[in-house]
Amino acid sequence: MCGGLTSKLLRGRRILLGCRASSCAFSRYSDIAVDPRRPSQGLLLAVLHTKGKGLKMVKRSILRFLEPSNASRLKGSPANIPQPKGPGFSAQRRRFQPTFDHLSDALEQADPTLVLREDPNGIAPERALVFVTVGRIQRFVKVASQLGFEVLAETTLALTEEIPDGFRPADGTNVLQRNLYATVPTIDALQRLLSLWRAYESGSAAPKRAGTWWTLFALLLELRTWGPDDRLDESTRKTIEDRLPFDDEAEVPIELEIWPSSDDQQRVAWRHEAERRIADIGGRVLDHAAISENGFIYEGILAGLSARAVRQMLDEPWDLKGLATVEGVQFVLPQTIAETWPSERSGGPTLDTPRTRFDSNAPIRAALLDGTPQPRHSMLDGGLTVEDVHDLVGLSVVDQRRHATGMASLILRGDLNADGEALRDTRLASVPVLVDIGGDTRSPQDRLFVDLVHVALTRLLKGEEPLTGDVFVVNFSVGLRECHFGGRISALARLMDWWSSSEGILFVISAGNTGELMLEEVKPSEFEDANTEKRRYIVDDALRAAAFGRTILAPAECLNGLCIGAISRDISGDDPPEQAGILSLEDCNSVFPQITSALGLGPHRSIKPDLLAPGGKLEFRAFPHREGTLLRPVTVYGRTGLAAAAPGGQFGTIQKVCGTSGATALTTRAILQSAEALTGEGGPYEGQELPRRALALLTRALAVNSAKWPQEAWQLRDAEKQRLGRYFDVRAKEEVCRRFGHGILDAELMRNSQESGVTMVGCGEIRKDGAQIFSFPFPSTLSGERVPRSMRATVAWFSPVDTVRSQYRLVGFEIAAAGEFEEIEDSRWGFNLKTSGPDKNMVKRGTVWSRRLIHSTQKVPAREGNRALQLRVQCRDTSGGGLSPDESISYALAVTLEIEAEIQHDIYQEIRDQLLLTVKTDA
């Protein structure tokens, strides 16, 4: 846990240069307004840089909560969720009797294992056995393990309107929810399963502790082995087919994921079987990786096959000599290709000598996993080290090292035309995992990318001699080609979730870029002649229609990471003059996501992207295509974009970067600056060496807490409600989150309290069903006053994950405000507030819980004396039994209270004084 509050927290004020004018284009992000969509005064020019241009402001450091007291989680009444119903044991007996009779006959033989394995598609020991049920079976993982089954996967399948005879959907629905459980049984487990089935089919009551199996038998839809259609689904087949060359003899890389069994010997046996099959069809093993960590298992093979052999596999997946029938293979996949979007734009003057230089003795707090940067560039020299863990630097052409050089530049100096100041107390370590060659930046063709990333992180952070032990944030401005999130969490995202939970690392990940957009039945001339508002309307319709193919790219679905989208905005000056044929969707005062910025949502409909940050103004051209128009981004031009260092020259040149990669790098920069403010002079943890996990969680909480929906997000909400109906507010907000996430990052609010408000932070550890209570000082000057005010409350944690369970996230946190009596929740949060921004249920689905609350007209409730508002941070098991009661989960919280800027009350000073008084009294 973080240590106690000291008087160092309460330093005096200092001066900061910044923009405070109400006419500033970014002034519309303040939560304080009679209508949350109304423009109001605020500070956002620091979203991306800190170079002062404007009026002087008083700097108000973030304050720190006093140590919390321990408590228990407030438990509400269990939700009464309607459940589907099965057809009854007589109908189920008719459905599955042949399967169990065959199993019974085999088990009576002298060598039942041999008999069962004679049927390549039948139930057998050490062969993946699949249960498909209607609805989710509570506690299945636990009871199956007790029976001798190793549960390898639990998956929620797509809803279906095809209702088998006798089954009934849950009340109020006309679709069936299906769950798939993939298991590996032993011969003894099959004996026990048969025994339970015989008792069930006879109509007997469930024996003690066997009720879960009776529920499963009653709701069972399928009992079968894992087959080719599971290993090689339709979308995967199409991707592989699209990559096939015309030459039948050309080598095609194919990935095989082995079942992640905890039995090392079993995985090795499955791998050897797969390698023999590869050799039998004329292929070769290009790479192999085995990762076996406590909480994460991955076994993969990269095979080189002829295009002819791959076509045969796609045409005849059930061929017993093909790869799709290898028992130990969970998935057959196209090669994982990590790449960057071609968004670096050439052009720009030669840079002058840097205004500030890096401290060569500063700790390395951030890592960049990308291509190879140019470390001796004048804008990077002294702030960047390159660790060539995989011997890839020599493979990258020097003058093509654009992407990593640009990302390093944006992290270390921000936009060179708007900022350019060197980070003061940190340096950056770059570990190349991509190769810059042939005009592309992509992963090596003969390596498994998941293993490349894991080895890079291991060398950086673990072992007896890690390259650096101070890294707490990793920038990943890279996406996996054609790997749009569709429900299944990628192996790379699972790996990152494990690293976050295990080692306390914050991954800042690009949401991905999606390229051109098709406008159906709209002619280019019609679109070009339309005004900005009409263009937006057309594009919104097109994005909605194409949403499934424009979702976030792996590994952006990583639950414990920050997924960053991009707004179409330059931050370094005025818009360039109009030019014939080049179009945009924004004017100088509007803020919209880039149309190429990938869309959410994330796993279990969690909020993804988490945040948006400027990624350069996106321009495009309109081309006729079929009966409509194709909008194609301009990717090679120098008019717009973020100014970053580029390879070449003694001092280097500027390149223009546009897309989510640059937005991600700027977010990483804001996180590093926030960490500096937390531990620097006047900060809440001044002079302390915070642990890696604490820094990662505090800055993550502050990043989300700083974000707000701009006016355009509220306009989208209103338009969606008009389209869907007035009672569909939740669905309308979900659409906003799909594009805007929690809102637009404000880097300044990650470092300081607002002039008209206060931000407080704290951290701690809680076990399952535990809670900790923090005291938020109540400004007495607000008591009984009619003051427009808002509050933002955020808690961030790194959840342990269980890749077996469909409820992948094991831990959920939330903050509840205590009422007059501590055990009763105050839904109005002590200040008579109501929810604003993302829906209160949506914020529960990820690993950051963040509420926005606001009120403008009603009075603040009267409060006697200096009685503080009690905020209860509480922890619960979200997996249905996967979280150990002995495991402590670290978290960080950030809370902001703000009043309208014109109000004369100085709530910052009042809260600061109350904290100081409490410290002196306790002393």
Side-chain angles (χ1 to χ4, degrees):
M1 293 176 57
C2 302
L5 182 73
T6 71
S7 59
K8 291 182 180 179
L9 172 151
L10 303 170
R11 294 269 183 184
R13 302 173 182 176
R14 287 183 290 154
I15 301 300
L16 171 76
L17 295 178
C19 174
R20 183 66 180 83
S22 60
S23 60
C24 172
F26 289 111
S27 66
R28 301 175 300 149
Y29 294 86
S30 174
D31 280 329
I32 297 301
V34 174
D35 184 328
R37 295 161 288 178
R38 191 194 78 184
S40 64
Q41 292 181 325
L43 175 73
L44 185 98
L45 199 52
V47 176
L48 314 187
H49 63 91
T50 56
K51 181 180 179 181
K53 294 180 181 179
L55 303 178
K56 290 187 177 181
M57 287 181 54
V58 174
K59 175 177 178 179
R60 295 170 175 246
S61 300
I62 291 172
L63 303 180
R64 181 160 143 214
F65 282 103
L66 300 175
E67 285 295 324
S69 59
N70 293 322
S72 298
R73 179 171 71 90
L74 297 178
K75 299 180 180 180
S77 301
N80 185 19
I81 302 175
Q83 299 296 324
K85 294 180 173 58
F89 74 87
S90 296
Q92 291 294 77
R93 179 173 55 195
R94 290 191 298 272
R95 182 189 296 268
F96 294 105
Q97 192 66 47
T99 300
F100 282 102
D101 284 348
H102 176 73
L103 178 61
S104 177
D105 292 342
L107 292 174
E108 292 174 358
Q109 303 301 312
D111 189 347
T113 298
L114 180 63
V115 174
L116 288 169
R117 295 192 67 82
E118 285 179 347
D119 179 1
N121 299 317
I123 297 174
E126 283 72 56
R127 181 180 291 164
L129 177 63
V130 172
F131 300 85
V132 179
T133 64
V134 173
R136 185 167 179 262
I137 308 301
Q138 298 292 334
R139 301 176 62 249
F140 177 79
V141 174
K142 181 177 180 179
V143 299
S145 300
Q146 292 171 346
L147 206 65
F149 289 82
E150 183 180 11
V151 182
L152 298 179
E154 175 189 358
T155 305
T156 300
L157 303 177
L159 299 174
T160 179
E161 296 180 351
E162 298 180 5
I163 313 297
D165 291 343
F167 286 88
R168 286 182 292 166
D171 293 342
T173 68
N174 58 359
V175 294
L176 282 181
Q177 176 190 325
R178 300 168 298 154
N179 270 54
L180 181 150
Y181 302 89
T183 68
V184 174
T186 62
I187 194 71
D188 291 339
L190 292 175
Q191 291 274 16
R192 298 186 190 104
L193 178 66
L194 178 63
S195 177
L196 289 171
W197 169 260
R198 292 303 188 207
Y200 169 80
E201 69 168 350
S202 69
S204 301
K208 187 177 181 180
R209 289 192 288 272
T212 299
W213 286 103
W214 259 239
T215 302
L216 180 139
F217 291 144
L219 299 177
L220 193 61
L221 277 174
E222 300 176 38
L223 180 63
R224 58 176 176 80
T225 56
W226 187 261
D229 290 339
D230 301 299
R231 297 184 182 98
L232 193 60
D233 63 27
E234 185 176 346
S235 63
T236 300
R237 293 183 194 187
K238 184 178 185 307
T239 300
I240 293 175
E241 187 173 12
D242 289 345
R243 292 188 187 180
L244 284 177
F246 291 109
D247 183 0
D248 278 350
E249 302 307 317
E251 187 173 72
V252 178
I254 295 292
E255 280 188 23
L256 306 180
E257 282 190 19
I258 306 298
W259 282 108
S261 171
S262 59
D263 186 335
D264 293 345
Q265 292 184 343
Q266 181 65 76
R267 290 202 319 275
V268 170
W270 282 335
R271 174 167 60 85
H272 288 164
E273 179 191 5
E275 290 172 344
R276 286 192 294 270
R277 193 72 63 87
I278 291 168
D280 289 344
I281 60 176
R284 64 185 181 122
V285 174
L286 302 175
D287 194 18
H288 158 253
I291 304 172
S292 183
E293 303 281 3
N294 182 19
F296 181 80
I297 294 174
Y298 170 83
E299 188 102 19
I301 299 173
L302 181 62
L305 306 175
S306 69
R308 178 186 292 106
V310 175
R311 284 195 182 91
Q312 184 174 350
M313 177 184 68
L314 297 177
D315 294 339
E316 303 175 37
W318 287 90
D319 182 1
L320 296 180
K321 297 181 180 180
L323 286 181
T325 54
V326 178
E327 289 182 7
V329 171
Q330 183 181 11
F331 296 116
V332 179
L333 302 165
Q335 182 186 16
T336 298
I337 299 175
E339 61 184 2
T340 63
W341 198 50
S343 60
E344 301 77 38
R345 304 177 181 193
S346 60
T350 300
L351 297 170
D352 296 328
T353 303
R355 291 186 296 274
T356 56
R357 297 195 177 277
F358 299 100
D359 179 357
S360 59
N361 296 317
I364 296 174
R365 297 185 183 275
L368 173 68
L369 300 186
D370 207 290
T372 299
Q374 185 173 323
R376 306 306 298 176
H377 193 290
S378 63
M379 289 294 168
L380 307 180
D381 191 17
L384 176 68
T385 66
V386 178
E387 305 292 348
D388 193 12
V389 170
H390 298 297
D391 298 324
L392 298 180
V393 170
L395 302 179
S396 292
V397 179
V398 173
D399 63 2
Q400 294 184 22
R401 298 175 180 178
R402 303 183 64 83
H403 191 269
T405 300
M407 296 307 104
S409 172
L410 290 171
I411 292 170
L412 291 170
R413 292 192 179 273
D415 186 299
L416 294 176
N417 287 337
D419 188 352
E421 298 297 322
L423 289 176
R424 290 183 294 182
D425 75 335
T426 186
R427 292 181 295 145
L428 177 67
S430 171
V431 182
V433 292
L434 308 179
V435 177
D436 308 278
I437 193 169
D440 294 324
T441 301
R442 52 156 289 169
S443 52
Q445 296 182 353
D446 59 350
R447 300 292 300 274
L448 286 164
F449 189 66
V450 171
D451 188 53
L452 280 179
V453 172
H454 182 65
V455 170
L457 293 170
T458 301
R459 289 286 303 279
L460 267 178
L461 303 167
K462 296 182 71 175
E464 295 182 359
E465 296 183 0
L467 296 173
T468 172
D470 296 317
V471 168
F472 75 91
V473 59
V474 174
N475 189 96
F476 198 80
S477 295
V478 177
L480 302 189
R481 182 187 297 179
E482 299 163 330
C483 197
H484 292 278
F485 179 67
R488 188 173 81 87
I489 300 174
S490 66
L492 184 56
R494 298 197 307 270
L495 175 71
M496 290 180 170
D497 276 329
W498 176 82
W499 269 97
S500 292
S501 173
S502 175
E503 300 298 326
I505 296 296
L506 174 58
F507 291 92
V508 185
I509 308 168
S510 164
N513 302 288
T514 56
E516 54 197 29
L517 177 67
M518 182 65 195
L519 310 180
E520 301 289 349
E521 300 180 356
V522 177
K523 295 181 179 179
S525 58
E526 178 183 349
F527 185 79
E528 291 179 2
D529 293 341
N531 60 26
T532 301
E533 183 177 355
K534 178 63 174 177
R535 288 180 186 175
R536 285 293 335 170
Y537 179 83
I538 295 171
V539 166
D540 284 345
D541 275 352
L543 287 173
R544 194 181 303 111
F548 182 77
R550 303 179 74 86
T551 57
I552 54 177
L553 283 170
E557 76 273 22
C558 166
L559 272 178
N560 285 330
L562 279 178
C563 170
I564 309 300
I567 58 172
S568 183
R569 168 71 60 174
D570 284 349
I571 60 174
S572 57
D574 298 329
D575 290 339
E578 293 186 5
Q579 183 169 328
I582 295 181
L583 308 173
S584 69
L585 294 175
E586 301 82 24
D587 56 34
C588 61
N589 294 316
S590 62
V591 180
F592 288 103
Q594 294 178 352
I595 63 172
T596 53
S597 186
L599 307 174
L601 299 165
H604 303 290
R605 307 189 73 76
S606 58
I607 296 178
K608 294 288 180 181
D610 293 278
L611 306 166
L612 269 64
K617 183 170 183 178
L618 182 71
E619 297 182 317
F620 47 86
R621 298 179 186 272
F623 297 92
H625 187 71
R626 297 198 298 266
E627 299 299 319
T629 297
L630 193 66
L631 297 185
R632 183 171 296 159
V634 176
T635 58
V636 183
Y637 209 65
R639 285 167 46 91
T640 61
L642 306 174
Q650 180 181 358
F651 296 112
T653 55
I654 288 179
Q655 61 174 316
K656 293 296 185 69
V657 175
C658 193
T660 58
S661 289
T664 302
L666 289 175
T667 302
T668 299
R669 176 176 174 82
I671 285 168
L672 292 167
Q673 291 174 321
S674 177
E676 178 187 348
L678 287 171
T679 58
E681 182 184 354
Y685 299 95
E686 179 181 350
Q688 296 189 31
E689 289 293 331
L690 291 180
R692 171 195 296 158
R693 189 181 300 269
L695 265 182
L697 290 173
L698 283 165
T699 53
R700 185 176 184 227
L702 283 167
V704 175
N705 196 68
S706 80
K708 312 178 191 75
W709 282 359
Q711 179 181 353
E712 290 76 9
W714 289 103
Q715 291 171 346
L716 176 61
R717 193 283 305 261
D718 292 345
E720 286 297 301
K721 284 184 68 173
Q722 185 174 5
R723 183 179 69 87
L724 296 168
R726 59 181 297 190
Y727 299 108
F728 288 89
D729 184 64
V730 173
R731 281 184 58 185
K733 286 187 173 183
E734 195 171 83
E735 185 64 28
V736 176
C737 289
R738 194 185 305 277
R739 304 191 197 182
F740 286 88
H742 288 281
I744 313 297
L745 176 75
D746 189 332
E748 175 61 26
L749 295 186
M750 293 177 64
R751 300 192 295 273
N752 298 294
S753 296
Q754 284 184 264
E755 186 179 8
S756 56
V758 61
T759 295
M760 297 186 67
V761 294
C763 51
E765 292 181 348
I766 308 180
R767 294 184 179 182
K768 176 180 177 179
D769 290 331
Q772 290 186 323
I773 298 177
F774 290 82
S775 293
F776 188 93
F778 191 96
S780 59
T781 54
L782 300 185
S783 181
E785 294 290 325
R786 196 182 306 276
V787 179
R789 68 272 182 194
S790 72
M791 178 177 277
R792 300 192 298 280
T794 303
V795 58
W797 66 102
F798 291 142
S799 175
V801 295
D802 187 340
T803 56
V804 166
R805 297 173 182 268
S806 63
Q807 299 299 319
Y808 172 76
R809 178 193 67 157
L810 298 187
V811 179
F813 274 76
E814 62 182 348
I815 304 175
E820 183 177 355
F821 300 98
E822 193 173 277
E823 300 304 316
I824 300 177
E825 182 177 352
D826 177 8
S827 62
R828 307 292 284 185
W829 286 71
F831 291 90
N832 199 8
L833 301 170
K834 58 184 179 181
T835 298
S836 177
D839 179 70
K840 64 180 181 180
N841 290 315
M842 287 192 68
V843 302
K844 297 179 179 180
R845 300 170 187 167
T847 59
V848 175
W849 182 100
S850 190
R851 288 281 300 275
R852 277 83 174 120
L853 304 116
I854 190 168
H855 217 301
S856 309
T857 55
Q858 295 189 17
K859 290 183 178 180
V860 176
R863 209 172 184 91
E864 296 180 0
N866 289 329
R867 189 159 61 88
L869 173 65
Q870 304 299 308
L871 300 178
R872 182 188 297 261
V873 179
Q874 48 191 25
C875 169
R876 62 190 174 93
D877 182 348
T878 57
S879 64
L883 179 63
S884 168
D886 298 324
E887 184 171 4
S888 295
I889 308 299
S890 299
Y891 69 89
L893 80 155
V895 180
T896 297
L897 176 65
E898 183 185 357
I899 62 174
E900 192 168 74
E902 287 75 11
I903 304 299
Q904 297 303 309
H905 301 307
D906 190 347
I907 62 173
Y908 179 92
Q909 187 67 37
E910 189 173 350
I911 289 176
R912 181 174 174 271
D913 291 344
Q914 287 190 39
L915 288 171
L916 183 57
L917 179 62
T918 303
V919 171
K920 289 181 177 179
T921 302
D922 291 345

